[in-house]
Amino acid sequence: MSSTTPRLTALDALHRSLGATMTDFAGWDMPLRYGSERDEHLAVRTKAGLFDLSHMGEITVTGPQAAELLAFALVGNIATVGVGRARYTMICQEDGGILDDLIVYRLAEHEFMVVANASNAQVVLDALTERAAGFDALVRDDRDAYALIAVQGPESPGILASVTDADLDGLKYYAGLPGTVAGVPALIARTGYTGEDGFELFVAPADAEKVWQALTDAGTPVGLIPCGLSCRDTLRLEAGMPLYGHELTTSLTPFDAGLGRVVKFEKEGDFVGRTALQEAAERAEQNPPRVLVGLIAEGRRVPRAGYPVVSDGQVVGEITSGAPSPTLGKPIAMAYVDAAHAAPGTTGVGVDIRGTHEPYEVVALPFYKRRK
């Protein structure tokens, strides 16, 4: 297959039959939307949405030293993750720059699944393979072994419960357990990227259509609709969740991104980037880096990534993500701004949108928090 031909998920024909608008995303042909982005967004906030996320990169790490390898290769303390639990973490370069943010599932004592962003899956696979030298552990590319279907929103527990034998009530946030969905084997994880309760289901590609159809049949009566990547972006933005390539890049360390908490210096042994990250942590304490904040527009113009944030005619920051917020009914953005302008309620901050300084209010992230 030539590198210019986009990869297709196991649900490609189904998306097209549903009239999806498709887009190239990280080399995959993915559904952008099926109908109205706003309707899809609000369905997830109030009822439920169904997503194909099969473009994500699954990498399995097995062997007697799998935990030690991941403790060395990643910034988190993976040894403390219990079997059946998951952890948000990052993989960094030697200089502390973020290569990707990841979710790591511990499937068994000596078996882990690392889920990387689609655009970074090969980079993460290569880095883990290289860092595995000297460890009794095996790194396996499992991107073709899984389709990934997410059901997200307040109705999702009831919808999934009707088609699975798994104990969903006992499944905590950031946990995963094997079960069956619609009669086929699945890894059922209570994770997501929307700010709502929901589940991500890792299934064999051959079973994807059956699972999608069963969830559709169970969910349609309570308002579930298929959702594309466009509303996934506005949902994660409202929830204040970072997106690689926007809020996270190789030019930022976790401390620059305000996510220093994922770096565990107390763990035993060395890990890639430890020295650089210790220096970054000290720098951040003495001279606070720009802070990731939320911005809410007073007007209607939508800021985009790269637009300057200004105050008194001076550039004090940069937009990383911006979009109209269906929940707030106003344009919103995330931006890195100088610490002096980062406090919620800071006045006099604007965004330079094609030469006009549009007024914005600085707020704490996230913009939206679901009611428990």
Side-chain angles (χ1 to χ4, degrees):
M1 182 188 289
S2 81
S3 59
T4 53
T5 310
R7 296 180 69 172
L8 307 180
T9 79
L11 295 165
D12 185 73
L14 195 145
H15 299 317
R16 292 171 197 279
S17 74
L18 292 170
T21 300
M22 305 296 284
T23 187
D24 176 37
F25 186 85
W28 289 81
D29 218 9
M30 298 298 294
L32 189 63
R33 71 182 81 79
Y34 297 85
S36 151
E37 291 165 11
R38 186 173 179 277
D39 289 351
E40 291 173 23
H41 180 110
L42 295 174
V44 176
R45 286 277 177 259
T46 59
K47 298 175 181 112
L50 192 58
F51 296 84
D52 179 8
L53 305 178
S54 302
H55 61 315
M56 300 295 280
E58 297 87 6
I59 301 161
T60 304
V61 182
T62 55
Q65 289 190 304
E68 288 89 336
L69 162 58
L70 290 172
F72 169 72
L74 312 178
V75 299
N77 192 354
I78 303 306
T80 60
V81 179
V83 173
R85 299 307 303 264
R87 184 159 299 164
Y88 177 79
T89 186
M90 293 182 185
I91 182 166
C92 289
Q93 299 177 150
E94 198 64 70
D95 67 1
I98 303 166
L99 278 175
D100 201 12
D101 61 336
L102 311 165
I103 296 179
V104 178
Y105 297 89
R106 190 169 202 161
L107 305 181
E109 186 63 28
H110 300 303
E111 183 181 2
F112 297 81
M113 182 167 70
V114 177
V115 181
N117 285 296
S119 54
N120 295 331
Q122 190 64 47
V123 170
V124 173
L125 177 68
D126 291 346
L128 287 175
T129 303
E130 189 182 310
R131 294 172 190 189
F135 289 94
D136 188 0
L138 186 70
V139 176
R140 187 173 73 230
D141 180 1
D142 267 349
R143 283 176 287 181
D144 293 335
Y146 294 104
L148 177 55
I149 295 171
V151 55
Q152 299 276 305
E155 297 285 354
S156 58
I159 294 167
L160 184 56
S162 69
V163 295
T164 183
D165 60 351
D167 170 24
L168 298 184
D169 290 339
L171 187 64
K172 297 186 174 75
Y173 186 52
Y174 263 71
L177 84 177
T180 64
V181 177
V184 305
L187 171 67
I188 302 165
R190 200 166 205 149
T191 46
Y193 196 49
T194 62
E196 297 299 337
D197 192 10
F199 303 88
E200 295 184 318
L201 311 170
F202 297 85
V203 299
D207 294 329
E209 216 162 301
K210 185 178 182 185
V211 170
W212 180 282
Q213 204 51 57
L215 290 166
T216 299
D217 295 345
T220 301
V222 292
L224 173 136
I225 60 172
C227 294
L229 292 184
S230 188
C231 83
R232 189 168 182 253
D233 192 45
T234 51
L235 289 160
R236 72 92 196 166
L237 178 55
E238 287 184 352
M241 295 175 167
L243 174 63
Y244 195 87
H246 289 256
E247 288 72 40
L248 309 173
T249 68
T250 49
S251 62
L252 296 171
T253 72
F255 295 94
D256 298 322
L259 290 164
R261 65 178 181 276
V262 305
V263 181
K264 303 300 181 190
F265 292 121
E266 69 275 14
K267 65 180 173 177
E268 282 177 32
D270 195 16
F271 63 90
V272 177
R274 182 192 271 273
T275 304
L277 289 168
Q278 276 171 327
E279 289 166 6
E282 286 161 20
R283 262 201 319 277
E285 235 166 74
Q286 291 155 9
N287 182 20
R290 283 184 165 177
V291 180
L292 190 65
V293 300
L295 296 173
I296 299 179
E298 292 179 23
R300 310 300 311 164
R301 296 183 74 187
V302 179
R304 298 296 178 197
Y307 285 13
V309 179
V310 292
S311 180
D312 292 328
Q314 300 296 311
V315 174
V316 297
E318 187 177 305
I319 301 291
T320 53
S321 297
S325 164
T327 305
L328 277 64
K330 296 174 178 178
I332 59 171
M334 286 200 276
Y336 282 112
V337 301
D338 295 346
H341 299 275
T346 300
T347 54
V349 171
V351 178
D352 184 342
I353 300 181
R354 298 193 188 91
T356 308
H357 291 187
E358 299 283 338
Y360 272 72
E361 180 193 352
V362 179
V363 298
L365 292 169
F367 298 97
Y368 166 86
K369 213 168 190 155
R370 72 181 168 98
R371 295 184 191 88
K372 296 289 187 221

